[in-house]
Amino acid sequence: MTVPPTIDLTGRVAIVTGAAQGQGAAEARHFRHLGATVVMVDIADEKGEAVASKIGASYLHTDVSSAPAWEKLMAAVMAAHGRLDILVNNAAVHWMRLIEDEQIEEFDRLIGVNLRGTFLGIKSAIAPMRASGGGSIVNIASIAGVRGFQQHGSYGASKWAIRGLTKTAAAELGPSGIRVNAVVPGTIDSPMAWGGGEMPEGVSFDHLPLGRVGEVEDIAAMVAFLASDAASYITGAEVVIDGGATLGIVRRDGQRI
């Protein structure tokens, strides 16, 4: 009998973008716990360096919307570690704004970080991962890229595009042994969800089948699974982690709608 692989990232070199706080920091911590060498990327240097020092990772200031910045990042990773096995395209910015109130410059900035950053990450990782014999890329999308939410024109557009980019990249890179998947979170208790602060008191999630907000660890655990050999036959997939938010109308009392 063949024993199923466990989630073990020992010997793997991983880049996690947007890793200074929230989901990215949780992913970096989880990867380190599973044995990976982790390179944390962000522009929030003080927070990023503090997390990296605490968990035993390295930190590099990188603007993910910049192609030259990605070239510099990849050169540094290869010089320091000689390989790249995992890339998590987690970096994103988020705000809620009606389409009619959105400024073109702000739209471009959001698309630059969320979508262009993901595209550049995938593109930059191809050659190093091929040289390493393959790898895993995990892109962070959102349920705002699955359903239409008011005041999410810019953010939703970026995340909807990431889902399509994930599938195209999976089709193109599969022959090189590079798997590409997407994680699709719902509301997660992280600074980005609350405008940089903490979850307000009294917020209810009774409308969700699971009845609670998501935790950053919920996302980190799935990202680690997709990055590992335990998911070796999974590519082009979208894993929704939303407590049931996209199921439709659900009555918690069990009565029929």
Side-chain angles (χ1 to χ4, degrees):
M1 179 182 296
T2 302
V3 178
T6 58
I7 301 177
D8 182 4
L9 301 180
T10 301
R12 309 292 172 86
V13 176
I15 295 174
V16 181
T17 72
Q21 61 182 354
Q23 290 179 188
E27 290 153 6
R29 286 194 301 269
H30 202 47
F31 279 19
R32 285 292 298 130
H33 177 73
L34 294 171
T37 297
V38 178
V39 180
M40 298 171 52
V41 167
D42 211 302
I43 58 171
D45 297 341
E46 186 174 348
K47 290 181 179 180
E49 289 170 354
V51 174
S53 176
K54 185 175 182 180
I55 68 174
S58 59
Y59 173 83
L60 290 173
H61 176 100
T62 304
D63 174 3
V64 297
S65 69
S66 166
W70 273 103
E71 293 177 6
K72 182 178 178 181
L73 170 63
M74 288 301 178
V77 170
M78 294 305 287
H81 306 293
R83 62 184 299 118
L84 177 64
D85 304 284
I86 301 164
L87 168 64
V88 183
N89 284 308
N90 174 80
V93 293
H94 169 269
W95 53 76
M96 296 174 61
R97 194 172 296 156
L98 294 172
I99 292 172
E100 64 180 314
D101 295 332
E102 184 65 278
Q103 301 297 311
I104 298 303
E105 295 78 9
E106 289 287 270
F107 175 85
D108 288 344
R109 181 168 75 89
L110 186 147
I111 294 297
V113 175
N114 297 11
L115 179 56
R116 178 183 168 89
T118 298
F119 175 84
L120 288 172
I122 294 170
K123 183 176 176 64
S124 301
I126 295 172
M129 285 189 175
R130 278 182 177 153
S132 300
S136 174
I137 299 173
V138 183
N139 301 322
I140 306 300
S142 167
I143 61 170
V146 176
R147 297 174 57 186
F149 289 90
Q150 292 180 335
Q151 301 186 60
H152 281 74
S154 300
Y155 184 78
S158 72
K159 295 300 185 176
W160 214 293
I162 285 172
R163 292 174 54 220
L165 178 60
T166 296
K167 291 186 179 297
T168 299
E172 292 183 358
L173 302 180
S176 296
I178 301 172
R179 298 182 296 106
V180 188
N181 293 289
V183 170
V184 184
T187 301
I188 304 299
D189 187 9
S190 68
M192 190 172 76
W194 315 117
E198 298 182 353
M199 184 170 66
E201 293 185 11
V203 176
S204 173
F205 294 90
D206 285 347
H207 64 290
L208 299 180
L210 296 187
R212 68 170 177 87
V213 70
E215 303 292 342
V216 292
E217 290 78 11
D218 294 323
I219 306 302
M222 178 53 66
V223 171
F225 167 72
L226 291 173
S228 76
D229 288 343
S232 65
Y233 201 53
I234 301 175
T235 195
E238 300 175 0
V239 183
V240 179
I241 307 177
D242 69 350
T246 51
L247 291 176
I249 299 174
V250 177
R251 292 283 295 271
R252 290 185 61 79
D253 57 14
Q255 297 180 13
R256 294 184 179 182
I257 301 300

